[in-house]
Amino acid sequence: MKIAYLGPQASFTDLAVKKAFPKSEAIPRVTIPDCIEAAIKEEVDYAVVPMENSLEGSVHITVDYLFHEADLSIAAELTSPIQQHLMVHPSNRRSVQELEKILSHPHALAQCHKFLNTTYRGTLLEQTTSTAAAAKYLSEHPEETLGAIGNELAAKVYGLEIVHENIHDFAYNHTRFIVLHKKPVKLELPASKSTQKTTLMVTLPKDRSGALHQVLSAFAWRNLNLSKIESRPLKTRLGDYFFLIDVQQDMDEVLLPGAINEMEALGCKVKIIGSYSSYLLGD
Amino acid sequence: MKIAYLGPQASFTDLAVKKAFPKSEAIPRVTIPDCIEAAIKEEVDYAVVPMENSLEGSVHITVDYLFHEADLSIAAELTSPIQQHLMVHPSNRRSVQELEKILSHPHALAQCHKFLNTTYRGTLLEQTTSTAAAAKYLSEHPEETLGAIGNELAAKVYGLEIVHENIHDFAYNHTRFIVLHKKPVKLELPASKSTQKTTLMVTLPKDRSGALHQVLSAFAWRNLNLSKIESRPLKTRLGDYFFLIDVQQDMDEVLLPGAINEMEALGCKVKIIGSYSSYLLGD
């Protein structure tokens, strides 16, 4: 099975793919649209891209390409803990207190802001294009006294030693990745337990405040729980929005079709992006 | 007046600051938490960071720091068009058809996906830590036949020539920046016309579907329009959320306080992040 993922090698997306699909042929792509296009053109079976709380790319790009461009379906969701570690080249293990510079992706540096501000106050920070790129640089420059922030896969791939574990500011830190496929399918993984979810994109007729309230009524009186609701600009005019809605339920025969019919009768456009299992990947 | 902004020099945030505060002393910072901290410690008067649809940093970091960490207030909002251009070193102006590589931030490469796929199919793409870093590299390597994607300020600062204008895929492409201040103030700019907005962060008591519906009722029956609603994980447990809500109205004496009282009576926690003017910056 071929899977395109948001690279480079040893990125957080790579880590999630390795955990969920240990036997697949995983192919890194440079950007999220590149991943999505590989799935549309069926160069791969699935594409795995970050959807929420990502470090290595904007979720908005994922959401917007799914709404505007791509006729792809979510086949599964992978929720993965994001754990940031400080690593050094083995030849520098005795200089951990005197690092000249610490390298990482700007989002990872931001996520470890408090740790850096206390334990490494004054140490120079340098941005790299990804956490994996920081680890790669260290492996190629053992003569420099550097640290890198990234995940355990990057430490393993590039032969580095983790010297401070879990240095991210918020203990609760997850990224949701979606597994995209050309046709609507539900991908079942042997991994751990799962919950059921359905993702909809809803465009309201006009007056947002009232119409959104009506849309939520369609879910509320059926006791359908929403785990996410987010407005996104339609990109046609300032102030026009569509809504991304995650319902904590499988597509059934009565409740969800009923809610969708009701929203359509109110003048909304509803696009079903997928009905799938959501897996929580282990540490 | 001192302003900390998300750098580097010639970033899209820098461009917005230059347009809105032409006479200020603008100080680049490496990360969004760095900018926020400069405002908290009053090392600067204001901090300007991206809030939505950003290229150069995750909005989630801004939202989460405002909710969890920072007691700052939004003093104004700047909405700026994001225009991506292809630029080259003047010595390469005759080689525009035969560029060896095109450099930019991964989000900018993603935003120009269609242009690159048609006009520069097969040309190598290389990631940089920012669009400004790509322009800087070109200015220092005139002997290499390279292109960079970035904004007009980067072209000006680094002495490059724009050879393809407005190459981003979606014509409608804006970034919202917020101007943060230690105390609740409303910053009035001479620039263009403005609209009034109030930003709230609301934590629901428990059952999301029903409670969110009630929260929206408080706005709907008062005809208070929402321009944005977004759920964000509370970071305490999977499935706990708070809501970021933008109301298209100034804080008044009756309607908004009434809605807030009603939400609090329902068991919600409401944090007012600011009541401010929103400015649309020109091209």
Side-chain angles (χ1 to χ4, degrees):
Chain A
M1 190 167 72
K2 278 189 183 179
I3 296 179
Y5 70 91
L6 182 64
Q9 210 203 345
S11 68
F12 280 92
T13 316
D14 188 9
L15 184 58
V17 169
K18 284 215 168 33
K19 282 179 185 172
F21 308 100
K23 291 180 182 171
S24 68
E25 179 189 348
I27 303 155
R29 295 271 174 148
V30 176
T31 65
I32 289 173
D34 280 344
C35 296
I36 288 176
E37 203 163 276
I40 292 174
K41 291 186 178 165
E42 299 189 271
E43 295 166 8
V44 294
D45 300 294
Y46 297 97
V48 179
V49 293
M51 182 74 162
E52 188 178 325
N53 190 24
S54 156
L55 299 174
E56 313 220 0
S58 167
V59 168
H60 291 165
I61 289 175
T62 302
V63 174
D64 290 352
Y65 264 83
L66 281 183
F67 184 82
H68 290 284
E69 299 292 320
D71 238 349
L72 289 177
S73 205
I74 302 177
E77 179 179 80
L78 312 171
T79 300
S80 185
I82 295 293
Q83 294 168 310
Q84 302 284 8
H85 313 299
L86 182 71
M87 51 194 79
V88 300
H89 192 277
S91 66
N92 283 321
R93 73 164 68 95
R94 288 174 189 212
S95 317
V96 171
Q97 315 297 330
E98 304 109 41
L99 297 177
E100 275 168 41
K101 261 194 295 194
I102 295 174
L103 280 60
S104 198
H105 187 277
H107 294 185
L109 294 175
Q111 291 215 338
C112 304
H113 178 72
K114 285 188 226 167
F115 169 82
L116 292 171
N117 236 356
T118 49
T119 312
Y120 285 96
R121 179 180 288 274
T123 305
L124 282 178
L125 304 179
E126 193 169 297
Q127 302 187 3
T128 53
T129 53
S130 66
T131 53
K136 185 162 185 264
Y137 186 91
L138 260 61
S139 73
E140 292 165 354
H141 297 80
E143 75 286 0
E144 298 181 40
T145 323
L146 302 175
I149 294 174
N151 63 39
E152 67 270 26
L153 181 59
K156 196 175 150 196
V157 166
Y158 295 108
L160 304 179
E161 262 179 38
I162 293 175
V163 290
H164 283 284
E165 279 191 340
N166 297 321
I167 58 170
H168 42 282
D169 294 348
F170 296 111
Y172 177 83
N173 193 4
H174 283 78
T175 292
R176 292 170 51 216
F177 299 94
I178 50 174
V179 182
L180 293 166
H181 188 66
K182 179 95 174 173
K183 287 175 193 137
V185 289
K186 187 186 273 194
L187 190 60
E188 300 293 352
L189 299 178
S192 59
K193 58 184 179 178
S194 65
T195 56
Q196 299 305 306
K197 284 175 72 174
T198 302
T199 296
L200 307 173
M201 287 183 179
V202 180
T203 312
L204 302 186
K206 44 179 179 147
D207 166 26
R208 283 173 306 286
S209 176
L212 179 59
H213 180 242
Q214 284 185 307
V215 161
L216 289 180
S217 304
F219 295 105
W221 77 259
R222 289 181 172 86
N223 270 332
L224 291 169
N225 256 316
L226 310 183
S227 63
K228 183 188 174 89
I229 177 164
E230 184 176 335
S231 58
R232 285 289 303 148
L234 264 179
K235 308 207 180 201
T236 45
R237 223 185 53 206
L238 203 61
D240 285 345
Y241 286 79
F242 70 88
F243 287 85
L244 178 72
I245 294 175
D246 285 352
V247 190
Q248 289 181 306
Q249 168 157 337
D250 203 9
M251 180 60 76
D252 62 336
E253 288 183 3
V254 180
L255 291 172
L256 259 175
I260 292 170
N261 286 341
E262 223 166 84
M263 288 187 280
E264 287 175 340
L266 291 167
C268 299
K269 280 186 202 160
V270 183
K271 190 173 173 182
I272 302 169
I273 306 295
S275 194
Y276 51 90
S277 301
S278 174
Y279 297 91
L280 184 60
L281 302 178
D283 288 0
Chain B
M1 192 167 74
K2 277 190 183 180
I3 295 179
Y5 69 91
L6 182 65
Q9 209 202 349
S11 68
F12 279 91
T13 316
D14 188 10
L15 184 59
V17 169
K18 285 213 166 35
K19 282 178 183 170
F21 308 99
K23 292 179 183 168
S24 68
E25 180 190 345
I27 302 154
R29 295 273 174 147
V30 176
T31 65
I32 290 173
D34 280 344
C35 296
I36 288 175
E37 202 163 275
I40 293 172
K41 292 186 178 163
E42 299 190 270
E43 296 165 9
V44 295
D45 300 294
Y46 297 97
V48 179
V49 293
M51 181 73 161
E52 188 177 324
N53 190 24
S54 157
L55 298 175
E56 312 221 2
S58 167
V59 168
H60 290 166
I61 289 174
T62 303
V63 173
D64 290 351
Y65 264 83
L66 282 182
F67 183 81
H68 290 283
E69 299 293 319
D71 236 349
L72 290 177
S73 205
I74 302 178
E77 178 180 81
L78 311 170
T79 300
S80 185
I82 295 293
Q83 294 168 311
Q84 302 284 9
H85 313 299
L86 183 71
M87 51 194 77
V88 300
H89 193 276
S91 66
N92 283 321
R93 74 163 68 96
R94 288 173 191 211
S95 315
V96 171
Q97 315 298 329
E98 304 108 42
L99 297 178
E100 276 168 42
K101 263 194 294 194
I102 295 174
L103 280 59
S104 199
H105 187 276
H107 294 185
L109 295 174
Q111 290 215 338
C112 303
H113 178 72
K114 286 188 224 168
F115 169 82
L116 293 170
N117 236 356
T118 50
T119 311
Y120 285 95
R121 177 181 288 275
T123 305
L124 283 178
L125 304 180
E126 194 169 298
Q127 302 187 3
T128 54
T129 53
S130 67
T131 54
K136 185 160 183 265
Y137 186 91
L138 260 63
S139 74
E140 291 165 354
H141 297 82
E143 73 287 359
E144 298 181 40
T145 323
L146 302 175
I149 294 174
N151 64 38
E152 67 269 27
L153 181 60
K156 197 176 151 195
V157 167
Y158 294 107
L160 304 180
E161 264 181 34
I162 292 175
V163 290
H164 284 283
E165 279 190 340
N166 296 322
I167 58 171
H168 41 282
D169 294 348
F170 295 110
Y172 177 82
N173 194 2
H174 284 76
T175 291
R176 293 169 52 217
F177 300 93
I178 50 173
V179 183
L180 293 167
H181 188 66
K182 179 96 174 170
K183 286 172 194 139
V185 289
K186 187 185 272 193
L187 189 62
E188 299 294 352
L189 299 178
S192 61
K193 58 182 179 177
S194 65
T195 56
Q196 298 306 307
K197 284 174 73 174
T198 302
T199 296
L200 308 174
M201 287 182 181
V202 180
T203 312
L204 301 186
K206 43 177 182 147
D207 165 27
R208 282 173 306 287
S209 177
L212 178 60
H213 180 242
Q214 284 185 307
V215 161
L216 289 179
S217 305
F219 296 105
W221 77 259
R222 289 178 173 87
N223 269 332
L224 291 169
N225 257 314
L226 310 183
S227 62
K228 183 189 175 92
I229 177 163
E230 186 177 332
S231 57
R232 286 288 303 146
L234 264 181
K235 309 204 181 206
T236 43
R237 223 185 52 206
L238 202 60
D240 284 344
Y241 286 78
F242 70 88
F243 287 85
L244 178 72
I245 294 176
D246 285 352
V247 190
Q248 290 180 306
Q249 170 160 332
D250 203 8
M251 180 59 76
D252 64 337
E253 289 183 2
V254 180
L255 290 173
L256 260 175
I260 291 170
N261 285 343
E262 225 167 83
M263 288 186 281
E264 287 175 339
L266 290 167
C268 300
K269 280 187 201 159
V270 183
K271 188 173 175 183
I272 303 169
I273 308 293
S275 194
Y276 51 90
S277 301
S278 174
Y279 298 90
L280 184 59
L281 302 178
D283 289 358

